[in-house]
Amino acid sequence: MASLALLSVSNKTGLIDLAKSLVEEFGFDLISSGGTAKALKDAGLPVTKVADYTGSPEILGGRVKTLHPRIHGGILANRDIPEHLTDLENNQIRPIDLVVVNLYPFAETIGKAGVTLAEAVEQIDIGGPAMLRAASKNFANLTVLCDPNQYSEYLQELRKNGNPSLEFRQKCALKGFSHTASYDQAISAYLSELTPVTGEEEKLPEIFALSGKQIQALRYGENPHQPAAWYQTGTTQTGWTAAEKLQGKELSYNNLVDLEAARQIIAEFTDTPAATIIKHTNPCGTALGNTLHEAYTKAFNADSISAFGGIVALNRSIDAATATELKKTFLECVIAPGCDRDAQEILAAKANLRVLVLPDLTSGTTENVKAIAGGFLVQAADNIVADTSQWQLVTDKKPSPTELEELLFAWKVCKHVKSNAIVVTCDRTTIGVGAGQMNRVGSVKIALEQAAEKAKGGFLASDGFFPFDDSVRTAAEKGITAIVQPGGSLRDEDSIKAANELGIIMVLTGIRHFMH
């Protein structure tokens, strides 16, 4: 008896070529449903419609087509079990040797603007996942294909062995289960976004699913001995998958990590030209300016030594003047919402410099995920927007509107520095950054030492409270004018008293921004 293939696909890429090979080269019989059957018939290929094979018509507008014992019995039968073969014979069911199924385009549908819930629900496939799971379960007896990229390898297996190897069938089964898992995760995530929650449910879901499709194998991870790859969640291009690389080498794992850190900082500033330079996820220079050229120049001069080999993020389209400055030093990557033609020509001289355009720099993640042994941690992203009207002006000396703006700038940058984090600024430019120290005093000393004489009249932000007044006194000795910090220490009054004694401003935000 001829081998039997069941073909039912939404994505018809490569379908006709596969079917022709199955029929003409290997003598397969074909059964198919709906649009797939029509496509095969229009191509002149012999095909039996599922409805004719099962004796049951498609019903409910096509919602029920393949959910039938003659289909699933043929898929699930274990040919090593005599009772299964008897059941097939008694019910006139042919064993199915190949299942080719891919699913309704749910993720593509919800990615379209204005799609309704009803429209999305109609793209939730039922029969497809059922066939994929059944065929994947029974890989010992048949082959399942869910991706057109598998077709040529399957045909090669037939040509080489006469029948696909068990190893190949198992690999295809894994892909089938991965495909249905990813599909269900997309549905779950979509409904989660649309379903209102209150109270305890508002924190995080009881089950958190994460899936992604590999879009690029990276040379390595943080170090050459660590394999790494880049995955995309969903099927629509968002975030970094939507970025256009104008020039330069392929992005590395470390590039992407630093680019995301740079994006998060630059997303804080939308109203004024801004630039930030990142090294190892920390900003070595961040500044605002009247022009993009001014902002970048100020950011670079904030720490020109650390800027070497850095990642630059800009919140305005790159112009010729800024491109000329960027060209003067070695940089790994530059990201901006656009790049003028003249700027592209200037930057082209730095062939290895990666220049990326990402029109939307402000849209980020809603959760942070971090792997730990035996599982992972999930937290809501730190997307809270600073509101100076909620800050407490706790010292006798109050900030002027200009000083409050400078404190806001320092606070926004400090949010994105590794804890313990201290940032010193002046003229809306970072002049000292103390990052990732084991104690806050150490971070204060590093930031003030880097600022040096520029600290006089400067502003200091701390991502966490001061447990003692020693850091306040050190800042005052170096000439700091004002401090912004979250407060919340049992000794807040000691720090406030020291600030009043030393004649400096202190503002409490009530919000902490630790970043580990």
Side-chain angles (χ1 to χ4, degrees):
M1 182 182 294
S3 296
L4 183 61
L6 169 61
L7 285 69
S8 180
V9 295
S10 175
N11 177 5
K12 296 178 176 55
T13 302
L15 170 69
I16 302 305
D17 289 341
L18 171 66
K20 281 184 177 179
S21 293
L22 292 175
V23 172
E24 298 173 3
E25 196 174 343
F26 301 103
F28 271 74
D29 291 337
L30 307 181
I31 57 176
S32 189
S33 63
T36 306
K38 182 179 185 305
L40 295 172
K41 187 174 182 180
D42 289 347
L45 291 167
V47 59
T48 300
K49 289 185 178 180
V50 165
D52 295 332
Y53 177 73
T54 62
S56 298
E58 295 184 9
I59 62 173
L60 306 181
R63 282 191 172 191
V64 178
K65 297 190 286 282
T66 58
L67 299 171
H68 192 279
R70 290 202 77 192
I71 297 297
H72 285 275
I75 294 174
L76 284 166
N78 186 334
R79 300 172 200 182
D80 292 328
I81 300 177
E83 290 83 0
H84 284 202
L85 297 179
T86 300
D87 284 342
L88 294 183
E89 184 177 354
N90 290 342
N91 291 279
Q92 298 181 321
I93 298 173
R94 288 180 62 181
I96 295 174
D97 301 283
L98 173 65
V99 173
V100 183
V101 175
N102 54 60
L103 308 179
Y104 293 169
F106 177 81
E108 292 86 343
T109 298
I110 62 174
K112 297 175 183 177
V115 67
T116 65
L117 175 59
E119 291 169 335
V121 166
E122 283 306 310
Q123 292 303 318
I124 297 177
D125 204 331
I126 301 300
M131 288 187 289
L132 271 182
R133 287 176 56 80
S136 296
K137 173 179 178 175
N138 201 25
F139 69 85
N141 292 275
L142 76 160
T143 307
V144 58
L145 307 177
C146 61
D147 185 340
N149 292 322
Q150 297 173 296
Y151 297 171
S152 61
E153 188 177 359
Y154 172 75
L155 294 173
Q156 288 172 14
E157 284 277 324
L158 289 181
R159 292 174 185 130
K160 180 181 177 182
N161 305 315
N163 193 44
S165 67
L166 179 61
E167 181 183 11
F168 176 78
R169 299 198 303 271
Q170 183 171 333
K171 182 173 69 172
C172 291
L174 171 60
K175 191 172 182 70
F177 281 122
S178 297
H179 187 43
T180 56
S182 175
Y183 193 80
D184 285 341
Q185 193 275 331
I187 297 168
S188 176
Y190 173 73
L191 292 178
S192 293
E193 291 178 2
L194 296 182
T195 304
V197 293
T198 57
E200 288 298 310
E201 292 181 337
E202 200 167 20
K203 294 178 181 178
L204 281 170
E206 182 179 353
I207 297 175
F208 188 94
L210 182 66
S211 68
K213 180 179 180 181
Q214 185 180 133
I215 58 171
Q216 184 178 334
L218 303 173
R219 287 180 62 198
Y220 52 79
E222 288 179 305
N223 299 290
H225 62 274
Q226 295 174 266
W230 181 4
Y231 291 82
Q232 173 183 324
T233 54
T235 58
T236 55
Q237 290 189 332
T238 58
W240 291 108
T241 60
E244 178 188 4
K245 184 160 72 74
L246 301 182
Q247 65 172 65
K249 297 185 293 184
E250 288 297 318
L251 292 169
S252 71
Y253 179 95
N254 289 336
N255 288 157
L256 287 161
V257 171
D258 284 336
L259 280 166
E260 176 59 15
R263 186 203 63 76
Q264 290 181 26
I265 293 182
I266 211 67
E268 297 280 356
F269 308 104
T270 56
D271 298 333
T272 304
T276 189
I277 306 173
I278 296 292
K279 287 293 289 289
H280 306 295
T281 72
N282 281 307
C284 55
T286 303
L288 307 183
N290 294 316
T291 65
L292 190 67
H293 174 264
E294 180 187 5
Y296 171 70
T297 302
K298 289 166 66 177
F300 178 81
N301 291 333
D303 186 353
S304 59
I305 294 175
S306 297
F308 183 84
I311 304 283
V312 175
L314 309 165
N315 70 346
R316 298 288 188 273
S317 184
I318 306 171
D319 53 30
T322 307
T324 300
E325 291 299 321
L326 290 166
K327 182 183 170 184
K328 291 179 181 179
T329 192
F330 168 66
L331 299 168
E332 287 281 350
C333 306
V334 177
I335 180 70
C339 186
D340 299 350
R341 186 181 298 275
D342 291 346
Q344 288 188 46
E345 293 177 359
I346 293 168
L347 294 172
K350 307 278 285 188
N352 289 332
L353 172 63
R354 303 163 179 89
V355 179
L356 295 94
V357 169
L358 182 60
D360 183 7
L361 289 166
T362 60
S363 294
T365 60
T366 55
E367 298 96 9
N368 301 142
V369 181
K370 182 172 290 188
I372 61 171
F376 57 90
L377 307 175
V378 181
Q379 66 172 353
D382 188 3
N383 292 331
I384 192 167
V385 178
D387 181 1
T388 58
S389 69
Q390 300 300 310
W391 290 4
Q392 298 179 57
L393 312 181
V394 294
T395 47
D396 296 336
K397 194 173 182 181
K398 310 299 182 187
S400 67
T402 300
E403 290 170 329
L404 194 61
E405 282 298 313
E406 187 74 32
L407 287 168
L408 178 60
F409 170 77
W411 182 243
K412 285 183 174 181
V413 176
C414 192
K415 172 182 175 181
H416 300 282
V417 176
K418 292 288 185 181
S419 300
N420 288 308
I422 299 292
V423 171
V424 179
T425 74
C426 185
D427 188 26
R428 301 186 304 175
T429 305
T430 56
I431 56 175
V433 178
Q437 297 305 299
M438 286 63 75
N439 63 77
R440 195 158 299 279
V441 174
S443 290
V444 170
K445 288 180 178 178
I446 289 171
L448 290 172
E449 285 174 4
Q450 186 182 17
E453 292 300 313
K454 295 179 182 178
K456 294 179 179 178
F459 297 75
L460 185 148
S462 172
D463 68 343
F465 61 64
F466 294 116
F468 305 101
D469 66 3
D470 48 2
S471 292
V472 177
R473 295 185 180 279
T474 300
E477 288 174 9
K478 299 296 183 179
I480 291 296
T481 297
I483 293 174
V484 57
Q485 55 123 334
S489 169
L490 294 174
R491 294 187 173 89
D492 275 348
E493 287 303 319
D494 292 348
S495 294
I496 295 169
K497 180 180 178 181
N500 279 326
E501 175 190 329
L502 299 165
I504 62 177
I505 299 165
M506 181 172 287
V507 174
L508 305 185
T509 67
I511 299 291
R512 190 184 75 182
H513 286 303
F514 280 179
M515 187 170 70
H516 287 79

mmCIF file of all heavy atoms in Angstrom, residues 13 60 64 98 119 122 169 199 217 269 281-282 338 367 389 397 445 464 474 491:
data_model
loop_
_atom_site.group_PDB
_atom_site.id
_atom_site.type_symbol
_atom_site.label_atom_id
_atom_site.label_comp_id
_atom_site.label_asym_id
_atom_site.label_seq_id
_atom_site.Cartn_x
_atom_site.Cartn_y
_atom_site.Cartn_z
ATOM 1 N N THR A 13 4.136 28.093 1.656
ATOM 2 C CA THR A 13 5.476 28.164 1.072
ATOM 3 C C THR A 13 6.035 26.762 0.867
ATOM 4 O O THR A 13 6.059 25.955 1.800
ATOM 5 C CB THR A 13 6.426 28.957 1.992
ATOM 6 O OG1 THR A 13 5.908 30.262 2.195
ATOM 7 C CG2 THR A 13 7.817 29.045 1.381
ATOM 8 N N LEU A 60 -19.226 24.070 11.116
ATOM 9 C CA LEU A 60 -18.991 25.260 11.933
ATOM 10 C C LEU A 60 -18.062 26.242 11.217
ATOM 11 O O LEU A 60 -17.165 26.836 11.819
ATOM 12 C CB LEU A 60 -18.406 24.886 13.303
ATOM 13 C CG LEU A 60 -19.207 23.860 14.126
ATOM 14 C CD1 LEU A 60 -18.523 23.624 15.465
ATOM 15 C CD2 LEU A 60 -20.640 24.324 14.320
ATOM 16 N N VAL A 64 -14.328 22.740 12.474
ATOM 17 C CA VAL A 64 -14.130 21.305 12.634
ATOM 18 C C VAL A 64 -13.906 20.689 11.259
ATOM 19 O O VAL A 64 -14.817 20.655 10.427
ATOM 20 C CB VAL A 64 -15.341 20.636 13.325
ATOM 21 C CG1 VAL A 64 -15.125 19.128 13.431
ATOM 22 C CG2 VAL A 64 -15.561 21.245 14.701
ATOM 23 N N LEU A 98 3.080 10.626 7.085
ATOM 24 C CA LEU A 98 3.616 11.991 7.103
ATOM 25 C C LEU A 98 2.506 12.968 7.421
ATOM 26 O O LEU A 98 1.439 12.924 6.789
ATOM 27 C CB LEU A 98 4.248 12.349 5.750
ATOM 28 C CG LEU A 98 4.697 13.802 5.570
ATOM 29 C CD1 LEU A 98 5.838 14.133 6.524
ATOM 30 C CD2 LEU A 98 5.109 14.065 4.129
ATOM 31 N N GLU A 119 -11.701 38.822 15.927
ATOM 32 C CA GLU A 119 -10.848 38.464 14.798
ATOM 33 C C GLU A 119 -9.663 37.623 15.264
ATOM 34 O O GLU A 119 -9.265 36.659 14.594
ATOM 35 C CB GLU A 119 -10.356 39.722 14.087
ATOM 36 C CG GLU A 119 -11.446 40.474 13.339
ATOM 37 C CD GLU A 119 -10.998 41.848 12.861
ATOM 38 O OE1 GLU A 119 -10.060 42.412 13.479
ATOM 39 O OE2 GLU A 119 -11.575 42.363 11.890
ATOM 40 N N GLU A 122 -10.692 33.953 16.084
ATOM 41 C CA GLU A 122 -10.888 33.096 14.914
ATOM 42 C C GLU A 122 -9.574 32.562 14.364
ATOM 43 O O GLU A 122 -9.566 31.599 13.591
ATOM 44 C CB GLU A 122 -11.649 33.848 13.823
ATOM 45 C CG GLU A 122 -13.132 33.967 14.087
ATOM 46 C CD GLU A 122 -13.790 32.610 14.356
ATOM 47 O OE1 GLU A 122 -13.585 31.675 13.553
ATOM 48 O OE2 GLU A 122 -14.484 32.468 15.376
ATOM 49 N N ARG A 169 13.114 11.844 12.818
ATOM 50 C CA ARG A 169 11.710 11.954 13.239
ATOM 51 C C ARG A 169 11.593 12.536 14.646
ATOM 52 O O ARG A 169 10.695 13.323 14.936
ATOM 53 C CB ARG A 169 11.034 10.575 13.161
ATOM 54 C CG ARG A 169 11.015 9.983 11.758
ATOM 55 C CD ARG A 169 9.995 8.870 11.610
ATOM 56 N NE ARG A 169 10.157 7.780 12.542
ATOM 57 C CZ ARG A 169 10.913 6.710 12.351
ATOM 58 N NH1 ARG A 169 11.631 6.597 11.245
ATOM 59 N NH2 ARG A 169 10.968 5.745 13.264
ATOM 60 N N GLY A 199 -6.326 43.434 42.541
ATOM 61 C CA GLY A 199 -5.818 42.879 43.796
ATOM 62 C C GLY A 199 -4.539 42.096 43.628
ATOM 63 O O GLY A 199 -3.610 42.514 42.951
ATOM 64 N N ALA A 217 22.332 33.295 15.431
ATOM 65 C CA ALA A 217 23.352 32.704 16.285
ATOM 66 C C ALA A 217 24.480 33.715 16.430
ATOM 67 O O ALA A 217 24.951 34.268 15.438
ATOM 68 C CB ALA A 217 23.875 31.407 15.671
ATOM 69 N N PHE A 269 14.717 60.650 28.100
ATOM 70 C CA PHE A 269 14.799 62.033 27.626
ATOM 71 C C PHE A 269 14.181 62.138 26.236
ATOM 72 O O PHE A 269 14.708 61.593 25.266
ATOM 73 C CB PHE A 269 16.256 62.492 27.600
ATOM 74 C CG PHE A 269 16.980 62.272 28.904
ATOM 75 C CD1 PHE A 269 17.884 61.227 29.056
ATOM 76 C CD2 PHE A 269 16.727 63.092 29.996
ATOM 77 C CE1 PHE A 269 18.541 61.009 30.256
ATOM 78 C CE2 PHE A 269 17.371 62.887 31.206
ATOM 79 C CZ PHE A 269 18.282 61.841 31.341
ATOM 80 N N THR A 281 27.265 48.255 30.384
ATOM 81 C CA THR A 281 25.888 48.587 30.809
ATOM 82 C C THR A 281 25.793 49.840 31.678
ATOM 83 O O THR A 281 24.685 50.270 32.004
ATOM 84 C CB THR A 281 25.185 47.423 31.544
ATOM 85 O OG1 THR A 281 25.734 47.240 32.839
ATOM 86 C CG2 THR A 281 25.266 46.134 30.740
ATOM 87 N N ASN A 282 26.908 50.446 32.057
ATOM 88 C CA ASN A 282 26.869 51.676 32.854
ATOM 89 C C ASN A 282 27.154 52.885 31.979
ATOM 90 O O ASN A 282 27.990 52.818 31.075
ATOM 91 C CB ASN A 282 27.894 51.622 33.991
ATOM 92 C CG ASN A 282 27.411 50.798 35.163
ATOM 93 O OD1 ASN A 282 26.331 51.028 35.693
ATOM 94 N ND2 ASN A 282 28.198 49.816 35.562
ATOM 95 N N GLY A 338 17.104 57.932 13.746
ATOM 96 C CA GLY A 338 17.272 58.200 12.321
ATOM 97 C C GLY A 338 18.707 58.593 12.027
ATOM 98 O O GLY A 338 19.525 58.779 12.945
ATOM 99 N N GLU A 367 8.379 43.413 31.681
ATOM 100 C CA GLU A 367 8.922 42.566 32.743
ATOM 101 C C GLU A 367 10.409 42.346 32.527
ATOM 102 O O GLU A 367 10.902 42.400 31.407
ATOM 103 C CB GLU A 367 8.237 41.193 32.787
ATOM 104 C CG GLU A 367 6.756 41.216 33.072
ATOM 105 C CD GLU A 367 5.936 41.163 31.803
ATOM 106 O OE1 GLU A 367 6.511 40.929 30.719
ATOM 107 O OE2 GLU A 367 4.710 41.385 31.900
ATOM 108 N N SER A 389 6.800 66.737 41.455
ATOM 109 C CA SER A 389 5.764 67.297 42.334
ATOM 110 C C SER A 389 5.535 66.411 43.555
ATOM 111 O O SER A 389 4.959 66.858 44.557
ATOM 112 C CB SER A 389 4.446 67.473 41.568
ATOM 113 O OG SER A 389 3.874 66.211 41.242
ATOM 114 N N LYS A 397 17.117 74.878 52.871
ATOM 115 C CA LYS A 397 17.409 75.468 51.570
ATOM 116 C C LYS A 397 16.649 74.687 50.503
ATOM 117 O O LYS A 397 16.759 73.456 50.424
ATOM 118 C CB LYS A 397 18.917 75.420 51.307
ATOM 119 C CG LYS A 397 19.386 76.283 50.157
ATOM 120 C CD LYS A 397 20.911 76.293 50.084
ATOM 121 C CE LYS A 397 21.383 77.209 48.963
ATOM 122 N NZ LYS A 397 22.882 77.207 48.886
ATOM 123 N N LYS A 445 32.803 58.214 46.794
ATOM 124 C CA LYS A 445 34.199 58.623 46.616
ATOM 125 C C LYS A 445 34.622 58.531 45.157
ATOM 126 O O LYS A 445 35.280 59.424 44.624
ATOM 127 C CB LYS A 445 35.106 57.761 47.481
ATOM 128 C CG LYS A 445 34.994 58.065 48.976
ATOM 129 C CD LYS A 445 35.924 57.185 49.798
ATOM 130 C CE LYS A 445 35.850 57.537 51.282
ATOM 131 N NZ LYS A 445 36.726 56.649 52.097
ATOM 132 N N GLY A 464 19.920 54.811 46.317
ATOM 133 C CA GLY A 464 19.385 54.328 47.584
ATOM 134 C C GLY A 464 19.643 55.343 48.685
ATOM 135 O O GLY A 464 20.373 56.320 48.502
ATOM 136 N N THR A 474 30.901 64.183 53.003
ATOM 137 C CA THR A 474 31.935 64.068 51.961
ATOM 138 C C THR A 474 31.537 64.881 50.734
ATOM 139 O O THR A 474 32.372 65.587 50.140
ATOM 140 C CB THR A 474 32.132 62.591 51.568
ATOM 141 O OG1 THR A 474 32.538 61.859 52.721
ATOM 142 C CG2 THR A 474 33.179 62.449 50.481
ATOM 143 N N ARG A 491 17.877 56.676 59.698
ATOM 144 C CA ARG A 491 18.714 57.827 60.047
ATOM 145 C C ARG A 491 18.583 58.960 59.025
ATOM 146 O O ARG A 491 19.510 59.742 58.848
ATOM 147 C CB ARG A 491 20.176 57.386 60.165
ATOM 148 C CG ARG A 491 20.431 56.428 61.316
ATOM 149 C CD ARG A 491 21.924 56.175 61.455
ATOM 150 N NE ARG A 491 22.241 55.403 62.645
ATOM 151 C CZ ARG A 491 22.277 54.070 62.695
ATOM 152 N NH1 ARG A 491 22.004 53.376 61.591
ATOM 153 N NH2 ARG A 491 22.565 53.437 63.809
#
